[in-house]
Amino acid sequence: MRLHRLEVEGFGPFRSRQVVDFDAFADDGIFLIAGRTGAGKSSILDAVCFGLYGGVPRYDGGEKRLRSDHCEPDDPSEVVVEFSTPAGRFRVTRSPEYLRPAKRGGGMTKQASAVALDEWTDAGWVGRAARAVDVAGELDEILQLSREQFLQVILLAQNRFSEFLLAGSRDRQALLRRLFGTQRFEDVQARFDERRREAEQTLGTRLATVNARIDEAEQLVSTSGLSGDSEDGTPPAERPAASAPSSVEERLEALRRARARADYRAERRASERAEAEKRAADADAAFATAREEQHAQRERDRARAALARLDADAPSIDAARAELAAARAAEAVRSTIAAAARAQTAVTVAAEDEQRSREVWEAFEVPVAGDLEEWAAARTRESGSWERARELEGEAPALDAELQSAGDAVAAATARLEAGEAERATLPAAITALTAERDEKRRLADRVGDARAAQEEADARRAAAHEAERLQRAQAATEIELTDATTVHAAAQTDLARLRQRRMDGMSGELASNLRPEHPCPVCGSLEHPAPATHVDPVSPEDIAEAEEARDAAAQRERELSSASSTLRAELAAVTARADGRSVDQAETEHEAAASAHARSLSAVDELKTLDVQLSELVARVAQLDAEKTEGTAALAQAREQHALLQQRSTEACELIAAARGVFDTVAERLADTAAKISAARGVAQATAERLRRTQALAEAEAERDAALADSTFDDVESAERALRPAATQEALDARIAEHAVQREKERAILFDLELRTLPEEPIDLTPVEEASKAARAIWTDAVDAAARAAGTAERLAGLIESAAAEHARTATDAAEFEVLQNLADTIAGRGANTRKMTLETFVLAAELEEIVEAANRRLHDMSTGRYQLQHSDALAARGAASGLGIVVSDAFTGQTRPPQSLSGGETFLTSLALALGLAEVVTARAGGIRLDTLFIDEGFGSLDGDTLDVAMRTLDELRQGGRTVGVISHVEAMQEQIPAQLTVRALPNGPSIIEAR
């Protein structure tokens, strides 16, 4: 993998976009990233790691402050990393999550993180993925390195360089686990532990099952009396005493003997049940026979009584038979007698109807010379021509109303047409005025964007003016405090100078006060002190120290206030520039004017919509009035035509009605009078004809009746009528006669069969037979229950014994499997016979660590001039801790090994560098042998002396062989002299940093 280009904007200390071209250093092979402490050298590597993996290692576990604190709210934050692998050339563009001003409603809103992956093709950059999860998946496939592997083999980050060398076994295991992905071995260990626990639980469950089933079987034996002293007749006292079985096999054998006794008991109970069942069946059969004979005896007595009752009813049955025969004979003449009676009644009714009809007709006093039917027909033809006149007479009010309505419709259509023409004349002027008002509002609405921008600028100037006023007050107060602090600092400096001068002046007195007889003078060395000086104005060192502390505190206060004053001046200059020289009053006035203009523009937008709607309505109204005019003209013409037609119909109807009325007030009265006369004339004619027809029918019916009586057994009509019976009565008589005959034959047949059985005349008693049957059945029920209990006990005992024996047989297999799993799980987990306490994962990582140490020693031998070699240690750790991942240093000078913590700072750096490079080689090989064409080292070369620094530089020269580019971060001047290709990170006076290449 090779890095080609890095672009950083709004990230870390970099506010403006900074560009790093790594290809420019390909010819040199090694370049230095230099700069003062805190300028942002490591932020370059942070940007590379963030671009590729979306995270920064030194922020792990803390607040991820990736966005530059120097950014303005609207400034973007973005990192672009361009790199290549054997799969192609790619570009990652990534932005962190941060807060930005909301576009609506004010305040701040969260800007979501974003990432995009592009690939270089013949057509240029082509997007490959744009979602975080998709980009991460693509980069995993392209880079073939996790973030931890990347930090260990490409980007040797600050504060992590010596971490692997000095780490304990647990921390070293965690790091190697992340690099080599050996979590799967820990999963294997967990799975084997789980299988061991499951096997242990299965074995325990099976053993518990065996004991539970044996206990249950023994309890069954005890409660069922199968302990060996019940079925063979041997008394318990005569049986030899036996010790209770202890092992599972002995308990099972005892249970098998109890099972044999249970089977013997079940067989005996089954035999007793069969014998009791046979006795019960015989008793039931005897009871059934006695009960059937009792029933037959009762049926015989009942049949005898029933036959006696039927013989007593014989005379009444003979009378019913004679009555039925006479009724059936009278039925032959029933119809002719009834027909003659109906004909006589009809003649009487017809004569009465004829008389009533003549009375009605004569009331009209109409002279008729001929036939009444002919007269009625002539009058009917004459009244037919008056029906149309009567209809018109009834429709006359409706026709008058229609005529009036037609006149009203003509007047209404004329009024509507005139009103529409009047309204149409006023609309053009209204449309012209509304169009002018709309155009004015549109001009105001079109300036809403400019008004908003002007208001925002006025808002910014007003805020800046207020801030400038506040900063001016703060600066004035700070200047006053600074003047006071300068005065205090000068006074403290003067006091300190005076104290020092007083101490210098009184130094001889101070020395004289310490002189002792027979002790040499510290100035001249004489043992005699003839004229020692007098110490009249003493100043102690503590006084000087207190004065210095006061001076230093005053100086610190002066510097703080000076820095605050400078900061306020810079802020005031920036704020004044944003205020554009406006005072607070000017800014407020401009803000109010801009806000008012903006409000008018916003109001114009709303009013413009209303005016457009009103104008559209007026135009539509013009079109509507034009259409209504056309429709109104057509409607007026139609109304006038309808009125003329109705006027003509009314005149014709009046003429026809007058002709049809005659002397009557209305046509309907004339028609009613004529219809009544016609109806009366026809009634007389029809009644006369009906009377004549009924008289002829009566003569014919009487002749037919007399002939039928002559042929029957009856002398006259009265005797035949006396013999007649209704059909229901005849059916009842016939059914009574038939039922008596059938019932008598049935009872005789029943009695005949029962008399042949020679049953006793005395009633049969069932009590003795029934009691014998119940006793036999009770004995059989007890025998069935006893047999069922014995069989159930034997079957249950057999099932428990077989189940316990089968479970006991399976426990041997489970125990063997559990022992194998336990030994294997303990070995994998570093327990039991594993004296090194090395887990399977630790064993695998120990093999990787041996390769890492071997690769590191190839460089460490030269870097330490043959003195040091690293060794992998699997020594048992103290206090029973896990072992297998230890590293010790072999010192060729002493022939002894020692811990890495005993190395000096420079030795630790060289050893860590060798180990880190060895680790990078092994991780690279495990990642598929990918080629690493770019390498960064961010660690303190400042702890090395000159010779050791030369050794480190030679090692770095070896790393760039084969076209590899190595970037080193350091502020050591010697490295700046030896590495001509450099990137310099420089902090600007106002805070942000920039990147310069040379």
Side-chain angles (χ1 to χ4, degrees):
M1 173 190 172
R2 178 183 292 276
L3 293 176
H4 297 286
R5 185 181 177 88
L6 173 67
E7 298 182 16
V8 183
E9 183 177 6
F11 182 89
F14 309 110
R15 175 184 176 185
S16 60
R17 182 171 288 267
Q18 304 297 310
V19 179
V20 179
D21 186 5
F22 295 113
D23 291 338
F25 303 110
D27 295 336
D28 296 290
I30 185 170
F31 65 94
L32 178 68
I33 302 176
R36 298 182 64 181
T37 301
K41 302 185 294 299
S42 298
S43 295
I44 295 178
L45 306 188
D46 292 342
V48 173
C49 187
F50 172 73
L52 295 177
Y53 295 97
V56 176
R58 58 175 168 169
Y59 287 151
D60 288 347
E63 182 182 3
K64 298 175 176 58
R65 299 193 56 179
L66 303 177
R67 178 169 167 81
S68 176
D69 292 336
H70 304 290
C71 287
E72 293 294 333
D74 293 328
D75 291 343
S77 290
E78 183 180 75
V79 173
V80 181
V81 180
E82 188 177 331
F83 65 95
S84 62
T85 66
R89 185 160 180 160
F90 303 92
R91 182 178 66 190
V92 182
T93 303
R94 194 184 296 270
S95 299
E97 182 183 90
Y98 61 91
L99 296 176
R100 61 167 177 80
K103 296 181 179 179
R104 295 180 180 178
M108 304 297 288
T109 187
K110 184 179 291 185
Q111 176 67 43
S113 59
V115 62
L117 175 64
D118 301 323
E119 182 179 4
W120 178 260
T121 63
D122 295 336
W125 290 108
V126 177
R128 186 161 175 172
R131 294 195 311 159
V133 62
D134 297 335
V135 172
E138 294 284 349
L139 289 176
D140 284 343
E141 182 178 352
I142 294 169
L143 297 174
Q144 300 182 16
L145 290 173
S146 66
R147 195 185 81 162
E148 292 296 335
Q149 293 173 331
F150 179 82
L151 294 174
Q152 201 67 44
V153 303
I154 294 180
L155 197 160
L156 306 182
Q158 189 176 10
N159 300 326
R160 293 192 174 203
F161 207 68
S162 60
E163 176 183 313
F164 186 63
L165 175 65
L166 303 179
S169 293
R170 186 178 301 276
D171 296 336
R172 189 174 291 119
Q173 179 179 359
L175 177 60
L176 291 174
R177 176 187 297 161
R178 294 195 299 269
L179 293 176
F180 294 103
T182 57
Q183 294 89 342
R184 62 186 184 278
F185 296 105
E186 186 176 12
D187 296 338
V188 170
Q189 174 184 336
R191 286 198 295 273
F192 270 98
D193 283 338
E194 181 63 25
R195 288 182 60 188
R196 177 188 61 77
R197 287 191 295 271
E198 290 177 355
E200 183 178 8
Q201 183 179 4
T202 301
L203 179 59
T205 302
R206 200 174 296 282
L207 290 173
T209 302
V210 171
N211 289 325
R213 290 177 181 172
I214 291 178
D215 291 342
E216 185 179 356
E218 291 175 345
Q219 179 67 26
L220 179 61
V221 168
S222 176
T223 56
S224 300
L226 298 174
S227 300
D229 56 357
S230 59
E231 298 297 337
D232 56 359
T234 304
E238 298 179 6
R239 293 188 174 272
S243 60
S246 58
S247 67
V248 174
E249 288 78 5
E250 292 175 351
R251 295 173 70 187
L252 285 174
E253 183 60 28
L255 289 173
R256 292 188 181 98
R257 291 194 298 271
R259 175 185 176 184
R261 290 190 291 272
D263 292 340
Y264 173 70
R265 176 187 291 178
E267 290 177 0
R268 285 192 57 185
R269 296 293 183 267
S271 176
E272 294 173 355
R273 180 193 61 191
E275 184 178 354
E277 184 177 2
K278 182 176 181 303
R279 288 196 297 267
D282 294 342
D284 288 342
F287 176 63
T289 301
R291 187 168 52 188
E292 194 276 332
E293 288 182 353
Q294 184 189 53
H295 175 72
Q297 187 185 53
R298 291 174 179 174
E299 184 66 14
R300 181 200 63 185
D301 295 342
R302 185 200 61 77
R304 288 175 178 176
L307 188 61
R309 287 195 302 273
L310 291 174
D311 290 341
D313 292 339
S316 64
I317 295 301
D318 293 339
R321 188 178 290 110
E323 182 181 359
L324 178 62
R328 287 175 175 172
E331 284 294 326
V333 295
R334 177 193 289 272
S335 60
T336 56
I337 293 173
R342 288 196 298 274
Q344 181 60 48
T345 302
V347 169
T348 302
V349 171
E352 294 175 352
D353 291 340
E354 180 182 10
Q355 181 59 34
R356 286 195 296 272
S357 298
R358 286 190 178 278
E359 291 175 356
V360 171
W361 166 249
E362 291 173 354
F364 287 107
E365 298 179 355
V366 177
V368 177
D371 185 52
L372 289 176
E373 280 289 345
E374 293 179 359
W375 181 87
R379 298 291 78 74
T380 299
R381 289 191 296 273
E382 183 180 9
S383 62
S385 61
W386 303 335
E387 287 295 333
R388 176 57 183 165
R390 186 182 64 176
E391 293 176 359
L392 292 177
E393 186 179 46
E395 295 173 357
L399 183 60
D400 294 339
E402 288 183 16
L403 183 60
Q404 180 63 35
S405 177
D408 295 340
V410 171
T414 303
R416 284 196 302 272
L417 192 60
E418 293 175 352
E421 291 177 352
E423 183 181 358
R424 178 65 176 81
T426 61
L427 290 180
I431 291 175
T432 301
L434 196 58
T435 301
E437 184 179 358
R438 182 199 62 182
D439 294 341
E440 178 62 26
K441 296 299 182 181
R442 180 173 293 168
R443 283 192 294 273
L444 288 174
D446 291 342
R447 292 198 294 268
V448 69
D450 297 337
R452 184 186 301 109
Q455 184 180 0
E456 291 175 354
E457 292 176 358
D459 289 343
R461 287 195 298 271
R462 182 181 65 168
H466 283 286
E467 181 66 14
E469 187 177 33
R470 185 189 66 79
L471 290 175
Q472 286 173 359
R473 292 193 299 270
Q475 183 184 9
T478 304
E479 290 293 341
I480 293 173
E481 292 181 6
L482 178 61
T483 301
D484 295 340
T486 302
T487 303
V488 172
H489 181 208
Q493 185 68 33
T494 301
D495 292 342
L496 177 60
R498 288 175 181 173
L499 287 174
R500 286 175 175 172
Q501 185 62 42
R502 286 170 56 195
R503 191 164 189 270
M504 292 296 296
D505 293 342
M507 186 60 69
S508 58
E510 183 177 347
L511 290 173
S513 63
N514 294 324
L515 291 177
R516 297 292 182 269
E518 297 180 359
H519 285 76
C521 176
V523 178
C524 64
S526 174
L527 295 176
E528 297 180 358
H529 314 298
T534 302
H535 197 189
V536 296
D537 190 13
V539 176
S540 65
E542 289 77 9
D543 296 335
I544 298 298
E546 290 178 1
E548 288 177 347
E549 290 178 359
R551 181 206 57 187
D552 293 342
Q556 178 64 26
R557 176 61 176 166
E558 183 183 12
R559 285 194 297 271
E560 292 175 355
L561 291 173
S562 178
S563 176
S565 179
S566 300
T567 301
L568 288 173
R569 282 197 298 273
E571 293 179 357
L572 179 59
V575 170
T576 303
R578 292 200 298 270
D580 198 15
R582 266 69 164 183
S583 65
V584 173
D585 294 338
Q586 292 174 338
E588 287 288 353
T589 302
E590 291 179 357
H591 174 266
E592 292 176 0
S596 178
H598 184 221
R600 289 195 300 274
S601 297
L602 291 176
S603 177
V605 172
D606 297 334
E607 293 177 0
L608 179 61
K609 297 177 182 178
T610 302
L611 291 174
D612 285 337
V613 171
Q614 294 177 354
L615 185 59
S616 300
E617 292 176 352
L618 288 178
V619 173
R621 182 58 178 164
V622 170
Q624 181 182 0
L625 289 174
D626 291 340
E628 290 177 354
K629 179 180 180 181
T630 302
E631 295 175 358
T633 303
L636 178 60
Q638 184 178 2
R640 288 174 176 172
E641 180 180 359
Q642 183 68 20
H643 184 267
L645 291 174
L646 291 174
Q647 185 67 41
Q648 181 179 358
R649 284 177 53 197
S650 177
T651 302
E652 293 175 353
C654 290
E655 294 175 353
L656 183 59
I657 290 170
R661 282 178 181 172
V663 297
F664 292 89
D665 294 334
T666 63
V667 176
E669 291 179 0
R670 187 175 184 181
L671 284 172
D673 180 74
T674 303
K677 293 176 180 179
I678 293 173
S679 176
R682 286 179 175 172
V684 172
Q686 291 174 358
T688 301
E690 180 66 14
R691 179 181 57 78
L692 295 175
R693 186 180 66 79
R694 295 290 183 181
T695 302
Q696 180 64 30
L698 175 60
E700 294 174 357
E702 289 177 345
E704 185 177 357
R705 181 196 61 190
D706 295 339
L709 286 174
D711 295 335
S712 68
T713 60
F714 298 101
D715 297 334
D716 52 21
V717 174
E718 289 76 9
S719 61
E721 289 179 347
R722 285 195 300 270
L724 285 174
R725 295 290 185 273
T729 302
Q730 294 182 33
E731 291 175 359
L733 291 172
D734 188 27
R736 179 183 174 191
I737 296 169
E739 181 182 3
H740 181 272
V742 170
Q743 190 66 25
R744 191 170 186 281
E745 291 298 324
K746 175 182 176 182
E747 296 296 339
R748 288 181 63 188
I750 293 173
L751 184 60
F752 179 79
D753 293 337
L754 292 176
E755 292 290 356
L756 292 177
R757 294 181 61 178
T758 65
L759 295 172
E761 296 296 329
E762 296 296 328
I764 298 174
D765 187 9
L766 297 179
T767 302
V769 182
E770 183 178 4
E771 291 178 352
S773 175
K774 290 181 179 179
R777 181 162 295 277
I779 294 173
W780 173 76
T781 302
D782 294 339
V784 169
D785 292 341
R789 286 195 300 271
T793 300
E795 182 179 358
R796 182 183 173 195
L797 183 59
L800 290 173
I801 294 172
E802 292 175 1
S803 176
E807 289 291 328
H808 180 61
R810 285 193 286 269
T811 55
T813 303
D814 292 343
E817 182 181 354
F818 169 69
E819 184 177 0
V820 172
L821 283 175
Q822 184 178 26
N823 293 334
L824 184 56
D826 289 344
T827 301
I828 292 175
R831 298 186 297 266
N834 189 341
T835 58
R836 297 290 180 180
K837 296 188 180 298
M838 292 178 62
T839 64
L840 177 62
E841 182 185 16
T842 307
F843 181 79
V844 173
L845 292 177
E848 300 288 354
L849 184 58
E850 289 178 353
E851 293 190 26
I852 294 169
V853 169
E854 181 181 356
N857 284 334
R858 288 195 291 270
R859 288 190 173 85
L860 183 58
H861 183 272
D862 295 335
M863 296 169 67
S864 64
T865 62
R867 179 177 180 182
Y868 295 119
Q869 287 284 300
L870 296 174
Q871 291 183 3
H872 164 237
S873 173
D874 59 357
L876 188 62
R879 292 186 295 276
S883 59
L885 296 178
I887 295 178
V888 296
V889 181
S890 176
D891 190 343
F893 289 0
T894 63
Q896 301 292 325
T897 60
R898 54 176 173 158
Q901 289 81 0
S902 65
L903 297 175
S904 66
E907 291 171 340
T908 299
F909 172 77
L910 292 179
T911 306
S912 299
L913 177 59
L915 187 61
L917 296 176
L919 178 60
E921 291 182 6
V922 175
V923 171
T924 301
R926 293 295 182 271
I930 62 174
R931 179 178 175 83
L932 304 178
D933 295 317
T934 304
L935 177 66
F936 292 96
I937 300 176
D938 182 7
E939 191 54 44
F941 291 86
S943 62
L944 306 181
D945 57 27
D947 294 337
T948 307
L949 182 60
D950 291 338
V951 174
M953 288 301 300
R954 288 197 303 272
T955 303
L956 296 178
D957 286 336
E958 294 175 1
L959 292 176
R960 66 179 180 177
Q961 295 177 0
R964 178 183 291 171
T965 301
V966 181
V968 180
I969 296 179
S970 179
H971 57 272
V972 178
E973 294 182 0
M975 299 192 71
Q976 297 180 15
E977 295 174 356
Q978 296 183 41
I979 303 177
Q982 297 182 11
L983 281 176
T984 302
V985 181
R986 182 169 58 87
L988 299 176
N990 60 345
S993 297
I994 60 174
I995 303 174
E996 299 174 340
R998 66 181 182 90

